[in-house]
Amino acid sequence: MKVFISYAREDIESSRRIYAYLASIEELSPWMDKENLQPGENWRETIFAAIAESSLFILLLSRLAFARKRFLHEEIDAALRRHSAFPENQPFIVPVRLDDCDLIGDIARLQTIDLDEN
């Protein structure tokens, strides 16, 4: 099962730990830009293709992630579009809170994994 990991650059260390953990599970094939993009690839097209091919989209959320108004939000939009093609009871987007950030929009209605230790 291909698992896409979406994160803000400020949360790279958390994303690498989660990537390593998922890679240790034989049935899973995690995908993360810093680990899977190859030199010379069109990174934008490759990322959207990876989202489209994934069975699961892990969305790492933090106050820093929500402060970014750049590509992370485009990844979330692509994931929400893909999510709409899944049956109602089949999860695709799994929000993972790294801190006590507030969830917004369609993400707020999804069950969240909370890694915040506070």
Side-chain angles (χ1 to χ4, degrees):
M1 176 189 310
K2 189 171 187 176
V3 180
F4 187 95
I5 301 170
S6 179
Y7 65 97
R9 294 279 176 243
E10 294 83 357
D11 297 322
I12 186 73
E13 292 308 316
S14 295
S15 65
R16 285 195 165 134
R17 283 193 301 275
I18 290 170
Y19 179 93
Y21 172 74
L22 295 175
S24 73
I25 301 171
E26 189 173 316
E27 298 82 18
L28 300 181
S29 177
W31 197 98
M32 178 179 144
D33 62 350
K34 290 292 186 189
E35 299 293 333
N36 297 94
L37 279 174
Q38 299 301 310
E41 279 189 297
N42 180 320
W43 61 270
R44 185 182 202 76
E45 288 180 17
T46 303
I47 287 172
F48 287 129
I51 293 170
E53 297 166 359
S54 293
S55 300
L56 202 59
F57 181 91
I58 295 183
L59 176 57
L60 302 182
L61 299 170
S62 68
R63 284 170 274 166
L64 293 172
F66 278 124
R68 290 183 66 93
K69 300 294 182 198
R70 297 189 184 203
F71 195 70
L72 177 66
H73 293 279
E74 291 183 47
E75 288 181 1
I76 294 169
D77 289 343
L80 287 168
R81 285 191 301 276
R82 177 142 169 76
H83 180 78
S84 68
F86 279 69
E88 185 70 28
N89 61 345
Q90 183 179 346
F92 173 63
I93 299 173
V94 177
V96 177
R97 288 178 7 143
L98 301 175
D99 59 28
D100 65 346
C101 64
D102 292 325
L103 303 180
I104 58 172
D106 291 332
I107 300 300
R109 64 185 172 86
L110 301 174
Q111 182 61 38
T112 304
I113 296 172
D114 195 355
L115 296 183
D116 182 27
E117 297 180 9
N118 294 327

